[in-house]
């Protein structure tokens, strides 16, 4: 159980600023995606020491985060622990009208039968509501009012990469620092 909790907690730790938008640039420049970059982010840090203290090997966390085992679908899948919470938070914060969601209730209804994760029938309606919310959130992101800003940000990253101004350290910045970097350090 500790392995799953640690993997769920850490799995987005390697994501670059602007998450999936910047991932393709990260792959091109340093050969990592958000999941594979986690090892580099955690190795040699207090986080790795804490994992060792609890007997949790970083290699096991990486297998779960990378989706390399059947059990890892609870961490790395379409209806996984992160997406259950993320969709809920995004919908609430963006004021997207969706049904009342119960991500914790859905998460608790997952069970492992030795070969695969199963979702209990008792949360079928809740899972359907969550899928509806996910479609609304993704529609908002990729088709809504924010699409022009998304396209401009992607173009800024593209220009920075084309002019060799996008540096590996960019992928360790938070979003505010990344915007400042693009504004101040890159080809206007």
């Amino acid at each position: 159980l500790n392995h799953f909790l640690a993997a769920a907690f850490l799995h987005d730790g390697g994501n670059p600023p602007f998450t999936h938008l910047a991932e393709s640039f990260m792959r091109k420049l340093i050969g990592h995606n958000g999941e594979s970059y986690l090892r580099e982010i955690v190795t040699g840090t207090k986080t790795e020491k804490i994992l060792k203290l609890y007997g949790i090997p970083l290699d096991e966390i990486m297998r779960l985060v990378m989706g390399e085992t059947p059990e890892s679908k609870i961490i790395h899948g379409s209806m996984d622990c992160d997406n259950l919470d993320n969709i809920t938070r995004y919908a609430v914060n963006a004021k997207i009208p969706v049904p009342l969601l119960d991500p914790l209730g859905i998460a608790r209804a997952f069970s492992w039968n030795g070969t695969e994760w199963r979702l209990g029938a008792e949360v079928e309606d809740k899972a359907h509501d969550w899928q509806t919310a996910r479609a609304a959130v993704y529609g908002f992101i990729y088709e809504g009012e924010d699409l022009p800003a998304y396209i401009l940000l992607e173009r800024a990253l593209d220009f920075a990469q084309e002019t060799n101004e996008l540096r590996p350290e960019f992928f360790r910045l938070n979003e505010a620092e990344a915007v400042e970097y693009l504004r101040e350090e890159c080809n206007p």
Side-chain angles (χ1 to χ4, degrees), residues 2-177:
N2 285 343
H3 293 183
F4 288 107
L5 291 173
F9 180 73
L10 291 171
H11 85 282
D12 278 342
N15 282 357
F18 320 125
T19 61
H20 300 302
L21 173 65
E23 256 186 321
S24 63
F25 297 95
M26 187 164 80
R27 262 194 293 287
K28 289 176 190 172
L29 190 62
I30 62 173
H32 284 294
N33 62 19
E35 287 89 6
S36 66
Y37 198 43
L38 176 64
R39 181 183 302 276
E40 190 169 315
I41 296 293
V42 172
T43 298
T45 66
K46 288 181 184 179
T47 301
E48 185 178 25
K49 289 177 186 173
I50 292 169
L51 290 172
K52 285 181 183 178
L53 179 68
Y54 285 95
I56 303 171
L58 183 56
D59 287 342
E60 178 63 21
I61 298 304
M62 290 306 303
R63 280 192 291 280
L64 289 168
V65 168
M66 297 289 293
E68 295 174 352
T69 69
E71 300 92 345
S72 64
K73 287 199 183 289
I74 199 73
I75 306 295
H76 188 277
S78 62
M79 185 182 267
D80 58 32
C81 292
D82 173 55
N83 280 327
L84 286 173
D85 176 58
N86 185 40
I87 292 299
T88 303
R89 283 185 290 110
Y90 201 106
V92 168
N93 289 319
K95 296 180 176 44
I96 300 169
V98 298
L100 182 62
L101 302 175
D102 183 13
L104 190 55
I106 296 170
R108 286 183 174 140
F110 276 102
S111 63
W112 178 253
N113 71 6
T115 58
E116 66 183 357
W117 289 101
R118 299 274 177 140
L119 186 59
E122 71 276 9
V123 296
E124 187 174 320
D125 289 343
K126 291 177 181 182
H128 177 71
D129 287 347
W130 179 86
Q131 290 171 324
T132 300
R134 182 179 186 208
V137 165
Y138 285 171
F140 178 83
I141 293 169
Y142 298 114
E143 299 167 11
E145 296 173 5
D146 290 342
L147 186 59
Y150 183 91
I151 292 168
L152 287 173
L153 184 55
E154 184 174 32
R155 197 66 185 127
L157 288 167
D158 195 35
F159 281 136
Q161 186 169 24
E162 285 177 10
T163 56
N164 295 317
E165 295 169 321
L166 198 57
R167 306 271 181 255
E169 55 272 11
F170 172 84
F171 302 108
R172 289 186 179 240
L173 301 175
N174 65 41
E175 291 186 359
E177 293 167 337

